[in-house]
């Protein structure tokens, strides 16, 4: 037992060379001990802490890495980036200049570099005639040969005879060695007929290409589309098959009409889509497509026919109003539509837009009765009402829609606009409480965006109240400072300065002794505020952080720039600091 223990002690290397001042020994001092459940729980806790710390620093680490990469790219650009300006200048090179650029050296041999293309030269008819005569065969026997008993010939040495024989009918005219061009033309026509007859539909047996009108059909194709003629014919055949298989399928009729429209056959497209309205009278999309393809008065007739088949279609009513050019006709169409579809928000909005403010207010009063869950209609009515009536309208809106935050924010803006700024904070606090009671999750990012919109609209008190109410929601205590500073920077980037000022004010209430927060707020006021706001902030800052030299110096510089160099308060409060004396010695002389 003791020998085994001594062997284990010898295995552990505890020399000075294996010792690090920060990390200690490279190995584990307790590796020889048992690994118990407590050790496992401790390792799990440490691993969770490491993971948590890594997640907290992830965003800053990624941002820092991104900045380092951008800095590295600026210092050491790629070759592609170095020649980007030269590449842009290539757009100015003409075709002649481009062709005059010499080619680079080619390592291939001469035959590969200069290939000889096969040259085809049309052969004249005289060439065929000459060779036909030299290799001429006879198909008849001379009567004199039969008379003398065989194939005798007065010329020794073969079966040739000086008398021409009779040729069989073919491509040569009888008795001559010339080609018959008429028969060659007939053969070409026969070959074309065979090729056209081979192009047929294997499904229905119908001919795809009309042999008589083939060339005329090609000439009628207007090249306004990017597809191939063969592709268009295949698509036309496919859509035809879909229409015949399922004639009550609206997308097939719409696709067929649009295909003909693209190819320039507008009348064919109109006929197809009107046939589609007969086969699919309950399809809203088919009627709208038919109204789009038809000209003005015909489109109105199509829409009127569509309304008879679909009296509840909002899109068809909107299309009918768009086709009208007179404002009174538009109003008449929309009011007729509201009689059939009174709960359509879209129709109410379109109708209200055409009315005068007083008539619009009356229509909105009726609209919120028909559509009590539309926030837009309630807010539009509140904007047109007086202060007292607007408050009543918003109260009714909160009763009908208790889960929408925009109604509460609008109420706060209404009170601010009428001078009741003390009610703004109460309304926002009640909004948070009411929304939570109705099961609405308070989304911090959405509320901050609403506050920025209030800032841009000039509702300063409302935006500040919203920021104070939601700035601390959903943030852990150790992340508050970092998150709030990022929120302030984001508001400054979005030009929402009052939101950023509200964030800094709230952060200073939570962290009154943090010099870094005071500095960030002071720089914000210096860049975006006034001298009075900066000096007021610095006076509060030095009261909470009297040992912060930079705050005293910023206050002294601000007063110095304003011409006030008589205040020695900061020098007395921080008289032991050496940083004051160069500034103090420079002030009177400057």
């Amino acid at each position: 037992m003791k020998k085994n223990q001594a062997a284990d002690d010898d295995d552990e290397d505890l020399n000075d060379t294996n010792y690090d001042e920060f990390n200690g020994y490279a190995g584990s001092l307790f590796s020889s001990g048992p690994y118990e459940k407590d050790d496992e729980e401790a390792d799990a806790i440490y691993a969770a802490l490491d993971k948590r710390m890594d997640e907290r620093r992830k965003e800053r680490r990624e941002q820092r890495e991104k900045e380092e990469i951008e800095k590295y790219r600026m210092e050491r650009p790629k070759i592609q980036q170095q020649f980007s300006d030269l590449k842009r200048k290539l757009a100015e090179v003409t075709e002649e200049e481009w062709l005059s650029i010499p080619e680079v050296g080619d390592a291939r041999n001469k035959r590969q570099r200069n290939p000889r293309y096969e040259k085809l030269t049309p052969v004249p008819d005289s060439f065929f005639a000459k060779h036909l005569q030299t290799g001429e065969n006879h198909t008849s026997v001379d009567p004199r040969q039969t008379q003398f008993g065989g194939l005798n010939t007065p010329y020794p040495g073969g079966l040739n005879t000086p008398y021409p024989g009779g040729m069989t009918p073919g491509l040569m005219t009888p008795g001559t060695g010339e080609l018959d061009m008429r028969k060659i033309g007939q053969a070409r026509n026969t070959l074309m007929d065979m090729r056209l007859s081979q192009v047929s539909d294997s499904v229905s047996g119908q001919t795809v290409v009309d042999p008589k009108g083939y060339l005329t059909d090609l000439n009628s194709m207007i090249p306004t589309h990017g597809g191939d003629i063969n592709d268009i014919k295949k698509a036309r055949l496919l859509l035809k098959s879909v229409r015949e298989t399922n004639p009550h399928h609206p997308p097939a009729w719409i696709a067929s009409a649009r295909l003909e429209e693209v190819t320039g056959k507008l009348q064919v497209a109109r006929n197809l889509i009107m046939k589609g309205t007969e086969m699919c009278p309950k399809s809203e999309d088919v009627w709208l497509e038919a109204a789009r393809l038809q000209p003005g008065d015909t489109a109105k007739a199509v829409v009127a026919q569509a309304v008879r088949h679909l009296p509840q279609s909002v899109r068809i009513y909107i299309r009918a109003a768009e086709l009208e050019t007179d404002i009174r006709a538009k109003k008449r169409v929309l009011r007729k539509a509201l009689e059939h579809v009174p709960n359509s928000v879209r129709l109410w909005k379109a109708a209200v837009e055409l009315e005068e403010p007083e008539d619009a207010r009356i229509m909105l009063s009726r609209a919120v009765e028909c559509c009590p869950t539309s926030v837009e209609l309630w807010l539009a009515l509140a904007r047109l009402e007086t202060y007292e009536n607007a408050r009543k309208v918003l109260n009714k809106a909160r009763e009908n829609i208790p889960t929408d935050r925009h109604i509460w924010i609008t109420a706060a803006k209404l009170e601010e606009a009428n001078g009741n700024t003390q009610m703004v904070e109460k309304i926002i606090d009640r909004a948070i409480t009411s929304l939570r009671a109705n099961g609405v999750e308070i989304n911090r990012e959405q509320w901050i965006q609403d506050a920025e919109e209030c800032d841009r609209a000039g509702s300063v008190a409302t935006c500040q109240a919203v920021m104070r109410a939601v700035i601390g929601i959903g943030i852990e205590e150790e992340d508050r400072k970092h998150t709030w500073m990022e929120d302030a920077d984001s508001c400054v980037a979005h030009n929402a300065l009052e939101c950023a000022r509200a964030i800094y004010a709230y952060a200073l209430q939570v962290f009154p002794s943090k010099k870094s927060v005071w500095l960030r707020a002071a720089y914000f006021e210096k860049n975006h505020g006034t001298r009075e706001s900066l000096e007021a902030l610095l006076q509060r800052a030095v009261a909470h952080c009297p040992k912060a030299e930079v705050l005293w110096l910023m206050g002294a510089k601000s007063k110095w720039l304003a011409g006030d160099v008589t205040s020695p308060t900061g020098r007395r409060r921080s008289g032991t600091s050496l940083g004051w004396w160069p500034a103090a010695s420079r002030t009177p002389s400057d």
Side-chain angles (χ1 to χ4, degrees), residues 58-86:
K58 182 179 180 181
E59 183 177 355
R60 281 176 283 179
R61 185 175 63 252
E62 290 178 350
Q63 182 67 22
R64 185 174 63 254
E65 291 176 355
K66 182 180 179 181
E67 293 176 356
E68 291 176 356
I69 290 175
E70 293 177 353
K71 182 179 179 181
Y72 179 83
R73 292 301 183 192
M74 292 177 62
E75 294 176 355
R76 299 177 180 84
K78 296 181 180 179
I79 298 179
Q80 181 181 4
Q81 298 174 351
Q82 294 178 359
F83 292 96
S84 58
D85 54 341
L86 299 178

Side-chain angles (χ1 to χ4, degrees), residues 164-460:
M167 298 292 293
T168 57
L171 298 180
M172 297 185 65
T173 55
T176 64
E178 297 180 358
L179 290 173
D180 190 353
M181 294 301 175
R182 182 179 60 82
K183 292 187 176 181
I184 292 177
Q186 293 177 355
R188 290 178 179 174
N189 293 335
T190 304
L191 182 61
M192 177 63 71
D193 293 337
M194 291 176 60
R195 290 182 177 177
L196 291 175
S197 62
Q198 290 175 357
V199 184
S200 61
D201 185 11
S202 60
V203 178
S204 61
Q206 299 178 355
T207 302
V208 178
V209 180
D210 183 11
K212 295 181 179 180
Y214 182 70
L215 296 177
T216 306
D217 191 21
L218 289 179
N219 291 331
S220 64
M221 290 289 184
I222 300 176
T224 58
H225 56 277
D228 189 16
I229 295 176
N230 294 329
D231 296 336
I232 292 176
K233 289 186 175 294
K234 291 178 183 178
R236 188 176 289 143
L237 178 62
L238 178 62
L239 292 173
K240 178 182 178 182
S241 177
V242 174
R243 294 196 307 271
E244 293 176 353
T245 305
N246 188 5
H248 301 290
H249 186 55
W253 296 99
I254 296 174
S256 301
R258 290 185 178 179
L259 176 64
E260 300 300 337
E261 181 188 9
V262 167
T263 56
K265 298 182 178 181
L266 187 58
Q267 188 58 44
V268 177
R270 292 171 178 171
N271 296 336
L272 276 172
I273 200 63
M274 293 308 297
K275 181 67 175 177
T277 58
E278 297 176 3
M279 303 303 296
C280 308
K282 297 300 181 181
S283 174
E284 188 180 58
D285 295 329
V286 172
W287 286 109
L288 291 174
E289 186 69 14
R292 186 184 67 84
L293 291 174
Q294 297 292 346
D297 295 336
T298 309
K300 294 180 181 180
V302 170
V303 171
Q305 188 177 358
V307 169
R308 287 193 293 269
H309 288 88
L310 298 170
Q312 300 294 322
S313 175
V314 176
R315 295 170 61 192
I316 291 178
Y317 283 117
I318 295 294
R319 180 59 181 165
E322 292 175 352
L323 290 174
E324 299 292 342
T325 56
D326 187 17
I327 299 296
R328 289 179 295 180
K330 288 179 181 288
K331 293 180 181 180
R332 185 168 56 251
V333 170
L334 292 174
R335 290 178 180 178
K336 186 70 175 178
L338 289 172
E339 293 179 2
H340 293 85
V341 194
N343 58 348
S344 173
V345 178
R346 185 178 179 185
L347 288 176
W348 282 110
K349 290 171 64 177
V352 168
E353 289 176 355
L354 300 176
E355 301 291 342
E356 296 296 329
E358 186 61 28
D359 296 334
R361 184 180 60 82
I362 298 173
M363 289 194 70
L364 284 171
S365 300
R366 175 61 180 165
V368 294
E369 295 177 1
C370 297
C371 306
T373 58
S374 174
V375 179
E376 296 180 4
L377 295 179
W378 283 107
L379 297 182
L381 178 60
R383 283 193 291 268
L384 294 177
E385 291 284 0
T386 60
Y387 171 61
E388 295 296 333
N389 292 334
R391 295 180 66 181
K392 296 178 181 179
V393 168
L394 292 175
N395 289 331
K396 291 181 180 179
R398 285 199 295 267
E399 294 175 0
N400 288 277
I401 315 172
T403 58
D404 193 273
R405 68 183 188 279
H406 295 96
I407 299 174
W408 293 93
I409 295 175
T410 304
K413 293 167 66 176
L414 176 65
E415 297 295 339
E416 181 183 358
N418 288 273
N420 298 329
T421 55
Q422 68 276 6
M423 291 292 297
V424 174
E425 192 83 24
K426 297 179 180 179
I427 292 175
I428 298 299
D429 293 339
R430 288 176 55 194
I432 300 295
T433 306
S434 177
L435 292 174
R436 283 177 173 170
N438 286 279
V440 178
E441 182 183 359
I442 305 301
N443 190 323
R444 182 173 176 273
E445 301 298 331
Q446 291 180 353
W447 281 85
I448 291 177
Q449 292 179 2
D450 294 336
E452 292 178 355
E453 292 178 1
C454 293
D455 189 359
R456 286 189 284 269
S459 302
V460 177

